[in-house]
Amino acid sequence: MRQIKHTALLILFIMASCVMSFPILSSAALSDDLPLEELYKQRMALYLKTEAETSIPWYYFAAVDSYERGLRRAKKALPKEEGLIAIHIPKEKWVGEMNPNQDDQQLSSIDFFGGIGKDGNSDGLADLENDEDILWTFASYLSTYGFKEKDIRIGLWDYYQRDKAVQMIIGHAKTYKTIGSLNVRERAFPLPLRANYSYNSTWGNARGWGGRRIHEGTDIFANHGVPVKSTTYGIIELKGWNKYGGWRVGIRDTNNVYHYYAHLSAFEKGMDQGTVVKPGDIIGYVGSSGYGKEGTQGKFPPHLHYGMYRDNGFSEWSFDPYPLLKKWEKEEKKRQ
């Protein structure tokens, strides 16, 4: 068994070494300066290198990284990442809360004050602005809990102290593992372009059923039974009945955004909670379900209610999906 494990680690190390044959972006350079494909290659190189050194699969590092990148987009208080890795570790956690030098990079003093900062690139320093140091620090923390998913879940909960964060990261990991790539940027319009549909900007409009509230999405009117497609790569987080949305599906993408598809007439077979989807996958069919007890239908014309919700690490709120729907519709027309 030890020989098998040793051989597997050796193979991973060779894979990482092959991917690392090109220079890694320095922390001083902006990741925005790189073409997307090169950016994905260099990130993957770091993930594979860390996998070879820790035995933790690369997709967990990708998942934590994308979760943190999503937080940076949602929280103005967090700075935009300047390198390859978006994981944000507060200075006091990196160097130790009682450390008088909040810019400390010395391993001995960081360890003395209980900081978690580590040296990932073997330069003898724990640099909070170095991608390899950041990723190695988080990986070292996580590896103390073990290498199986149940161990990683415990480590993630201890770090973030939030069940939702653990759920999202594990979902991101499953998405990356299934897709086998970091390139999950593609999007699709939620209905076939050949269908007879219409929609306008309806986010924020008043709604009366179930109490005074605002409309948290865009209604796309179409014929009953028109296929509804996933707009994104992601994982089905929720599926079932909601008294407002009727038969609905909720998909979480790797940017932490929740995509909400409501008033369906039926679900597509095989689209269950925990299923990984890609843009264009059929998840259900347009209907008029909702506004009552389970099975209620026909209280309004058939349409798809499409909503988007962003998570900031503490709460979730809706934002207007209409501009993105127009963008995705235009892009899909160009592709076709």
Side-chain angles (χ1 to χ4, degrees):
M1 182 62 70
R2 289 184 179 178
Q3 181 62 36
I4 293 173
K5 185 177 180 181
H6 176 76
T7 303
L9 287 174
L10 182 59
I11 291 172
L12 284 173
F13 184 77
I14 292 172
M15 289 170 60
S17 299
C18 291
V19 181
M20 293 280 286
S21 59
F22 47 84
I24 293 294
L25 175 74
S26 69
S27 57
L30 290 173
S31 59
D32 291 343
D33 295 337
L34 286 176
L36 280 176
E37 289 306 316
E38 184 68 16
L39 184 66
Y40 296 142
K41 283 183 181 180
Q42 294 209 24
R43 276 198 189 125
M44 183 62 86
L46 284 177
Y47 300 154
L48 287 175
K49 175 176 181 282
T50 311
E51 175 182 6
E53 294 170 339
T54 64
S55 298
I56 296 176
W58 68 269
Y59 42 82
Y60 287 113
F61 302 129
V64 172
D65 198 18
S66 61
Y67 172 75
E68 293 262 4
R69 190 168 289 105
L71 293 186
R72 288 180 186 260
R73 293 173 181 171
K75 294 172 68 175
K76 293 181 179 179
L78 292 176
K80 184 181 182 299
E81 74 274 15
E82 294 188 349
L84 292 168
I85 303 301
I87 298 173
H88 175 72
I89 302 176
K91 279 189 176 182
E92 62 273 14
K93 195 177 188 72
W94 184 272
V95 302
E97 290 187 8
M98 302 301 292
N99 194 330
N101 181 9
Q102 289 293 288
D103 296 318
D104 196 357
Q105 296 184 4
Q106 300 302 316
L107 296 171
S108 57
S109 52
I110 288 175
D111 184 63
F112 177 81
F113 286 106
I116 68 171
K118 304 289 184 185
D119 174 21
N121 63 350
S122 302
D123 66 352
L125 300 174
D127 185 355
L128 189 50
E129 296 182 359
N130 181 275
D131 288 317
E132 293 180 84
D133 288 0
I134 294 169
L135 187 58
W136 176 245
T137 295
F138 193 89
S140 297
Y141 165 84
L142 207 56
S143 64
T144 62
Y145 290 84
F147 312 103
K148 297 181 179 179
E149 183 178 311
K150 64 177 183 178
D151 303 319
I152 292 171
R153 282 180 179 270
I154 295 171
L156 291 172
W157 194 92
D158 282 350
Y159 188 85
Y160 290 105
Q161 298 283 299
R162 186 185 182 218
D163 290 336
K164 191 70 175 178
V166 177
Q167 179 188 19
M168 281 194 278
I169 292 171
I170 294 298
H172 294 352
K174 187 175 181 181
T175 299
Y176 284 124
K177 179 183 180 182
T178 303
I179 302 302
S181 170
L182 299 180
N183 188 355
V184 291
R185 290 172 59 90
E186 183 186 342
R187 295 294 182 265
F189 191 70
L191 297 185
L193 296 184
R194 66 180 183 277
N196 182 22
Y197 65 85
S198 64
Y199 67 106
N200 293 299
S201 180
T202 55
W203 186 86
N205 291 352
R207 286 292 183 270
W209 192 90
R212 190 174 181 180
R213 55 197 176 90
I214 69 165
H215 189 235
E216 296 183 344
T218 294
D219 288 337
I220 308 176
F221 290 90
N223 294 330
H224 191 278
V226 169
V228 173
K229 304 182 297 179
S230 173
T231 59
T232 181
Y233 289 98
I235 190 168
I236 296 179
E237 195 171 278
L238 285 175
K239 172 190 172 184
W241 180 266
N242 177 290
K243 67 179 180 179
Y244 297 104
W247 299 117
R248 55 79 165 98
V249 171
I251 296 173
R252 181 77 60 179
D253 72 22
T254 56
N255 295 318
N256 306 340
V257 175
Y258 183 74
H259 302 251
Y260 178 67
Y261 308 77
H263 305 315
L264 303 177
S265 60
F267 302 116
E268 175 69 359
K269 291 182 179 179
M271 290 295 167
D272 300 313
Q273 189 171 348
T275 300
V276 172
V277 296
K278 62 182 185 299
D281 284 351
I282 296 174
I283 59 174
Y285 300 87
V286 171
S288 58
S289 62
Y291 282 21
K293 64 181 181 180
E294 185 172 327
T296 302
Q297 298 197 49
K299 289 196 171 184
F300 40 75
H303 67 278
L304 170 68
H305 170 97
Y306 180 76
M308 297 180 74
Y309 297 78
R310 191 177 296 280
D311 187 277
N312 66 0
F314 300 99
S315 60
E316 205 165 57
W317 72 94
S318 71
F319 62 95
D320 189 359
Y322 180 78
L324 288 172
L325 286 169
K326 296 297 288 186
K327 178 176 181 287
W328 299 337
E329 182 184 32
K330 183 178 179 180
E331 290 174 347
E332 193 159 329
K333 284 180 178 178
K334 284 184 178 180
R335 289 196 296 268
Q336 292 187 5

